[in-house]
Structures are given as C-alpha cells and as structure tokens.
Amino acid sequence: MSQKGITTTAVILNDREYNTMPLVHPLARSGGHAPYLAFNAAEEGGVEYIAAVASFLASSFSVNHGTVMNWVIGNEINARSEWNYIQHMDTASYVDEYAKAFRIFYNAIKSINANARLYISIDQQWAKSLYSNNGYAAKDIVDEFNRNIKGGGNIDWDMAQHPYNYPLTSARAWSTSGKAASYILDSETTPVISIKNIHVLTDYLQKEEFLTESGQVRHVILSEMGYTSSEGQDLQAASFVYAYKIIESNQYIDSMLFSRQTDATEEVNQGLALGISTLGGGRKSIYNAFKYVDTAQSAAYTDFALNIIGVSNWNEIIKRH
C-alpha cells in the first residue's frame, strides 16, 4: 500500500485474548466482557510497556514494512463497557486514564515518525449514550479529553469517528424518519452524529478551544463506517455514494474507511450485511460504486443513486450539508 501511495491507518487495541498483564489497567483486570481493555498508564511497568510497544510498532511500520501514518488509539472509547473496559468512574477520571496512555503512545510514535498522526476514537453516540451500559456521551469525552490534554501540555491529537446510521440496521443514510427523527439533529446537542449531520462534528472542532497550537482545525477521519444491504443492495450502494459525496465536500474530513470487504456471519444475523461482497464472495451493487466513485468514470456507477435518494443532482445534497 505504501508503494501505491496509500495512506495506511492502524488501530492499536488492548486485546482481552492476550491479556498481557503490564498492558492492562489494574481496574480492568477483572469483570467486564469487552474484547478490548483499557491501557495501563497507572503503573510504572505499564507506562514502560506502552512506550516499548509504541516504539516497536512505529519503528516496524516506518520503513521495513511500509509506513503507517495514522494511528488510532483504542476503539470507540466512549463505549466503555463494550470496547474499552475499565471499572465505571466519573468522566474526568475515565478520560484521564485514557489520556495518560494516549500521550505515551503519542510521544513514542512521534519520536520515530514526526509526521504521524494519532487519533482518539469515538462512535456516533454524540450527546447521549444509547447502546452502552454505563458508557459516556462522545461529546463529553471529547470535551474532557481536550481539557485534559491542554492541562498537561497541548499536543496535536486528531479525531477518528464512526458515523453509523441510527439505528445501526437503518439502510438509508439520508433518512431521518422513524427513530432517527429525534436523534439525528443539526445541532451540537444532537444525540447521534451520522453521515447525514457529520458537519456537526467538524463545526464543533472549528471552535477556538479545539484548535491546534498553530490555529488549525484538527484532522478528522471516519475510521469505521458501513451500511447494510439487508433491505436491498441498491439501498446500501446509494447510502455509500451519499456518504462519499458529503465527505468529499467537507474540507475537514480526510478519509472514510469502510467497515467490511465481505459480510460477516455474526453481523448478518443481526441485520448488518455491511460488506461490499456477500458471504460467498459475490459482488454486491456497492462494489462498482466503491471501486469507481473517485475516478473519471464515477457518474456511470454512482448516478443511479440520485433517484433512490430522491434528488436530481449531487449539489442538492452538498448544499444541505
């Protein structure tokens, strides 16, 4: 990928399966069912281990094995009990434990690759925790993380967000009917940030208190997103094209990373057929849209979505967002 000029993003996860004790926070060593655990920056051994892992990864993926430029630390950290397990605590304490680990990763990776970017990871639960058991609203996490980092010496952290539909099984990214009507709003207090109102996130990060030391808006990547084909492959393809057009027109979003190349059985059983290919490897309608959306042949493979969405041209969508 490096040889082809592709910017590679890696997510660093503290996997329960390996349970390397120095890496696991002491308050995450018992209980919980999340696959990933909070990093241990509370003990000297954990601090040293995190720094060693970060240095090793940055060194390995800078020259010898191609270059990873984007490093996401953890997954959807606002969903504590699902994706970043540690015993429940107040927001400031929770963020402090994450921020200490983040800063160690940041310093170690940046010392080897000064041009690398490090991202905090949040999901679409912006002003309210909807799915999580004693989780946190992503907005509260972002606000507290920004305060915490500034208090300890500002660094150029960036944002990785997952703008899934609400509910997850919704097939139409452009729709706010049903449950979505009261959850996907054009305000900074919206419960959910999906692709339809993704501008809320980039508008929020343009506030002065979130700017970098040089006055720049922090980089945003949509590091995990997807749409189900459970209600029809053309709907899935249209949602992808809709999302791409919105992202392409937003100067503050650098990239979108699609969730699945191939459907996953456990997700299909939940109504989430998120791949661009079926379980058997067959190409869905989205396949060619995904392949050609950023090429000179884009219109031939994407304009079909206009009628499905209910607009006459793509400018109608861009102007709305």
Side-chain angles (χ1 to χ4, degrees):
M1 287 192 285
S2 294
Q3 290 173 0
K4 291 181 179 295
I6 297 171
T7 299
T8 304
T9 299
V11 185
I12 303 181
L13 301 169
N14 202 6
D15 198 316
R16 172 185 292 275
E17 180 180 349
Y18 299 99
N19 198 24
T20 305
M21 194 59 69
L23 273 179
V24 177
H25 194 286
L27 296 180
R29 291 173 186 168
S30 61
H33 302 286
Y36 311 125
L37 307 172
F39 285 105
N40 178 20
E43 300 174 329
E44 183 178 356
V47 170
E48 292 174 351
Y49 212 109
I50 292 171
V53 167
S55 297
F56 170 77
L57 290 173
S59 297
S60 296
F61 296 101
S62 58
V63 179
N64 296 335
H65 304 294
T67 302
V68 174
M69 292 301 298
N70 296 338
W71 298 91
V72 181
I73 309 303
N75 177 65
E76 298 184 352
I77 64 160
N78 56 293
R80 174 198 63 85
S81 60
E82 286 80 12
W83 300 113
N84 189 57
Y85 178 75
I86 191 173
Q87 292 177 23
H88 186 257
M89 58 189 73
D90 64 85
T91 304
S93 298
Y94 176 77
V95 170
D96 187 54
E97 297 302 331
Y98 173 78
K100 286 187 291 189
F102 186 97
R103 193 181 287 275
I104 298 165
F105 276 113
Y106 182 95
N107 290 336
I109 291 172
K110 283 282 201 175
S111 69
I112 293 167
N113 181 357
N115 294 318
R117 293 175 183 165
L118 280 84
Y119 298 80
I120 177 177
S121 173
I122 59 171
D123 65 15
Q124 83 278 45
Q125 301 176 89
W126 179 245
K128 184 183 293 187
S129 178
L130 301 170
Y131 305 116
S132 301
N133 180 21
N134 289 322
Y136 307 89
K139 180 178 179 295
D140 292 343
I141 295 291
V142 173
D143 289 345
E144 183 57 38
F145 183 79
N146 187 51
R147 284 192 290 268
N148 184 293
I149 292 294
K150 278 187 173 181
N154 208 359
I155 56 177
D156 287 340
W157 60 271
D158 294 306
M159 173 68 64
Q161 196 257 2
H162 301 167
Y164 284 105
N165 285 347
Y166 182 81
L168 292 172
T169 52
S170 172
R172 297 167 174 81
W174 56 89
S175 175
T176 52
S177 61
K179 289 184 177 181
S182 58
Y183 284 92
I184 302 175
L185 310 175
D186 286 325
S187 75
E188 67 178 43
T189 57
T190 178
V192 170
I193 291 183
S194 71
I195 201 63
K196 182 173 176 58
N197 65 341
I198 192 66
H199 68 88
V200 171
L201 177 63
T202 52
D203 290 347
Y204 197 71
L205 292 176
Q206 290 174 59
K207 291 185 175 185
E208 185 176 357
E209 60 264 35
F210 287 101
L211 300 180
T212 67
E213 289 294 294
S214 61
Q216 301 300 307
V217 178
R218 298 184 186 276
H219 292 276
V220 175
I221 61 173
L222 305 181
S223 57
E224 181 185 320
M225 58 186 297
Y227 303 104
T228 185
S229 62
S230 298
E231 293 185 32
Q233 291 188 12
D234 285 349
L235 282 178
Q236 180 196 33
S239 284
F240 163 73
V241 177
Y242 172 86
Y244 187 90
K245 296 295 183 180
I246 290 175
I247 293 165
E248 186 179 40
S249 67
N250 189 320
Q251 64 176 310
Y252 299 110
I253 301 176
D254 294 336
S255 63
M256 61 184 292
L257 305 181
F258 212 66
S259 175
R260 292 282 182 185
Q261 179 175 337
T262 304
D263 287 343
T265 301
E266 64 274 18
E267 291 179 347
V268 171
N269 292 338
Q270 301 172 51
L272 297 171
L274 302 177
I276 62 174
S277 298
T278 64
L279 286 169
R283 296 177 178 179
K284 298 186 192 176
S285 298
I286 191 177
Y287 186 94
N288 282 330
F290 188 91
K291 181 176 181 178
Y292 292 106
V293 69
D294 59 349
T295 71
Q297 300 143 280
S298 176
Y301 296 96
T302 62
D303 280 357
F304 77 92
L306 291 168
N307 187 55
I308 296 174
I309 297 168
V311 294
S312 59
N313 61 73
W314 295 115
N315 284 334
E316 290 183 47
I317 289 173
I318 294 169
K319 287 178 181 178
R320 294 176 192 174
H321 301 87

